Amino acid sequence: MTTAAAHSTDYSLGFSSLSDEVVLEELPLRGAVPEWLNGSLLRTGPARFEAGNQKMRHWFDGQAMLHRFSIAGGKVAYANRFLEGRAYRAAEEKGEIAYGEFATDPCRSLFKRVQSLFAPGFSDNANVNVTKLGERFVAMTETPIPVEFDADTLAAAGVAPYEVPGHLTTAHPHRARSTGAMLNYAAKLGPRSSYRFFEVGPDASRPTVVGSVPVREPAYMHSFGLSERWFVLAEFPFVVNPLRLALQSRPYIENYRWEPQRGTRFTLVDRRNGEAVGGFEADACFGFHHVNAFDGDGGVSVDICVFPDAGVIEDLYLDRLRDGKPVAGAELVRFTLDLERRTVTRRPLSDQLLELPRIAYGRCNELPHRYVWGVDLGESGWVERIVKVDTDDGSTLTWARPGCSPGEPVFVARPGAEAEDDGVLLSVVLDTERETSFLLVLDAASLEEVAGAEAPHHIPFSFHGQFFRD
């Protein structure tokens, strides 16, 4: 499931550092931004891959930078700023990598590694996603240290907006429809490890654990599913021994082991009372991103972008990416869990490979959906197109432009929209010919280009962002 054709375009610029921080009141614009589109696209992502003479090893390790595209009155403004958390400040002061990242770890003594089991020196390099909790804007990664920031200045607030009841978490929280509370998962590591689902109210800082599942060797889970009744855990057989994680000198992710004989195990945790229902097993696979989950007659449907194994993590080391080596593609799959029989059926939703999936979240999350937007690879073996999949019949639409690599397409619904795909997609695209990036606005139904706003520099490839209406 990789593209092995000759590399037609060099996308290594997207993995090179950006140092410039700017505030621009208006970007050059082609086309016309819809009058109803007012608000800000906020994104975080890795932007610097060095600290002094030390180099980051993995795409996921780069120092976080916030980017804001503000849209009002048909104009687009832009600002960017490094996320000035403790990991960033320490690197600036010491000229070296001060905290362990996903696949890059400063040299530590055995004493320090043992000590970290009891008082972990977590990085707050929140380069994965952003969200809003009440009136607080938050940048997130998989460590339990979210970073609050000012959406106007992009300055870090210097305080943790809420506590996380565990050592590992996700940067893909969900929002409770009725209360606006954040729902997320954390892994508590120790002699008795557990998966914990927790809730944080819009104005709260302390979490409430609403369900816990014991586990001996936790799986790596980048996201989770949420239906109206259930939290959904998909345990891919990429697992870690907590003691090994504390004692070994290798970087964090390199302590995980691929054990396909375990298969993929699903667990449902009742949102009402925290009771867990397990025993759902499928063939081994690996995934980063849940798309959606919803309840049906006697079961739960769970859509995930999956890979055959965890080799995609190896694909994303920076030396491989900069050399133009192809990256694995993900298949859009629906797993259906039968509550009575405790069985799992697996069905691909399209022949189109797809990653960085988005849906009409406000309308469809927890409920049946029809459309999924995402990105896919081109002949270069890297992301070259935006795709739209109709899960009813598997049909697809694509957008592509030569020499361009689009990022995650963020769906924004038109106010008063009746159709699920009535709105626009916002994507940050690298143009290798111009060596700059631009904000792309597409019609979400047809994938026809609506507008583009040119940034003054390249924006390194990033992961996730959200659109917040004014």
Side-chain angles (χ1 to χ4, degrees):
M1 292 175 52
T2 60
T3 303
H7 304 310
S8 57
T9 304
D10 180 6
Y11 291 112
S12 60
L13 178 64
F15 304 105
S16 64
S17 295
L18 168 65
S19 297
D20 295 341
E21 296 179 315
V22 301
V23 178
L24 299 173
E25 294 185 358
E26 186 173 353
L27 296 181
L29 186 68
R30 63 176 182 273
V33 175
E35 293 182 1
W36 56 265
L37 187 63
N38 290 282
S40 293
L41 175 68
L42 289 171
R43 295 187 63 82
T44 186
R48 187 159 63 190
F49 301 97
E50 307 85 22
N53 294 323
Q54 294 180 325
K55 298 183 183 300
M56 305 293 186
R57 301 176 63 230
H58 200 278
W59 184 28
F60 294 0
D61 294 334
Q63 291 177 346
M65 175 179 278
L66 296 169
H67 303 266
R68 184 188 69 235
F69 291 89
S70 298
I71 305 171
K75 298 180 180 180
V76 181
Y78 171 75
N80 67 314
R81 182 169 180 169
F82 280 104
L83 183 65
E84 297 171 351
R86 69 182 191 183
Y88 172 82
R89 294 194 304 271
E92 287 286 282
E93 293 168 2
K94 298 180 180 181
E96 62 183 22
I97 301 168
Y99 291 87
E101 302 293 346
F102 184 82
T104 304
D105 201 4
C107 182
R108 295 184 295 164
S109 67
L110 177 61
F111 172 76
K112 286 292 185 182
R113 295 198 299 273
V114 174
Q115 185 185 49
S116 72
L117 180 63
F118 305 99
F122 290 116
S123 171
D124 62 352
N125 183 30
N127 64 7
V128 179
N129 203 359
V130 297
T131 191
K132 191 176 182 183
L133 180 59
E135 296 302 314
R136 295 168 287 174
F137 289 88
V138 181
M140 312 175 73
T141 184
E142 294 177 334
T143 66
I145 307 181
V147 179
E148 186 175 346
F149 66 93
D150 186 309
D152 294 325
T153 66
L154 303 184
V159 294
Y162 58 90
E163 298 175 12
V164 174
H167 299 89
L168 306 170
T169 186
T170 86
H172 290 282
H174 288 280
R175 182 184 300 273
R177 287 180 178 271
S178 59
T179 65
M182 174 190 292
L183 305 173
N184 208 343
Y185 137 89
K188 174 74 171 178
L189 306 184
R192 296 182 180 180
S193 298
S194 61
Y195 301 128
R196 295 177 167 185
F197 285 103
F198 65 95
E199 176 178 320
V200 182
D203 301 314
S205 59
R206 297 185 64 85
T208 299
V209 175
V210 295
S212 182
V213 180
V215 60
R216 184 176 179 181
E217 294 190 317
Y220 175 79
M221 290 183 286
H222 183 81
S223 62
F224 65 96
L226 185 76
S227 74
E228 287 188 292
R229 180 176 177 184
W230 306 100
F231 296 106
V232 183
L233 276 179
E235 291 182 83
F236 307 111
F238 191 49
V239 298
V240 69
N241 180 302
L243 185 59
R244 176 180 305 206
L245 186 63
L247 296 181
Q248 291 206 7
S249 59
R250 63 187 64 178
Y252 159 71
I253 198 60
E254 294 178 6
N255 293 284
Y256 283 77
R257 307 180 311 279
W258 177 249
E259 297 186 355
Q261 71 278 7
R262 291 173 176 257
T264 298
R265 304 171 183 176
F266 289 87
T267 301
L268 301 176
V269 176
D270 197 315
R271 294 173 61 179
R272 301 168 301 180
N273 54 28
E275 293 184 1
V277 179
F280 303 96
E281 296 187 4
D283 291 341
C285 62
F286 177 78
F288 290 114
H289 297 115
H290 282 250
V291 179
N292 195 16
F294 54 90
D295 303 319
D297 294 335
V300 182
S301 293
V302 187
D303 291 2
I304 310 175
C305 297
V306 299
F307 303 86
D309 55 42
V312 63
I313 291 176
E314 297 291 326
D315 293 347
L316 300 177
Y317 277 83
L318 288 167
D319 56 352
R320 293 178 55 91
L321 293 170
R322 289 165 178 161
D323 285 344
K325 294 182 179 179
V327 174
E331 185 179 23
L332 179 59
V333 170
R334 176 163 296 168
F335 297 90
T336 301
L337 282 54
D338 187 305
L339 285 165
E340 181 177 352
R341 297 181 178 85
R342 301 291 175 90
T343 58
V344 181
T345 58
R346 169 177 171 159
R347 177 171 67 90
L349 294 176
S350 174
D351 293 333
Q352 172 69 61
L353 302 182
L354 182 144
E355 245 294 359
L356 301 179
R358 299 297 294 251
I359 61 172
Y361 186 92
R363 177 190 186 112
C364 297
N365 194 57
E366 310 176 25
L367 304 170
H369 64 280
R370 179 173 180 178
Y371 300 112
V372 182
W373 296 273
V375 298
D376 186 28
L377 311 175
E379 291 185 354
S380 67
W382 183 247
V383 174
E384 292 186 352
R385 52 183 172 255
I386 292 174
V387 299
K388 176 188 180 183
V389 172
D390 185 333
T391 64
D392 281 0
D393 59 15
S395 62
T396 63
L397 295 174
T398 64
W399 174 93
R401 182 188 295 179
C404 289
S405 178
E408 170 197 51
V410 176
F411 175 77
V412 183
R414 184 191 305 273
E418 295 185 3
E420 183 181 329
D421 59 352
D422 184 4
V424 297
L425 300 178
L426 303 178
S427 175
V428 178
V429 181
L430 175 68
D431 185 330
T432 60
E433 183 175 332
R434 293 175 175 266
E435 297 188 347
T436 57
S437 296
F438 63 92
L439 176 68
L440 174 67
V441 185
L442 296 179
D443 182 282
S446 66
L447 296 197
E448 293 180 357
E449 188 166 338
V450 175
E454 301 286 343
H457 49 231
H458 86 286
I459 296 175
F461 295 132
S462 64
F463 308 117
H464 305 290
Q466 310 294 334
F467 184 79
F468 301 98
R469 295 184 189 273
D470 287 342

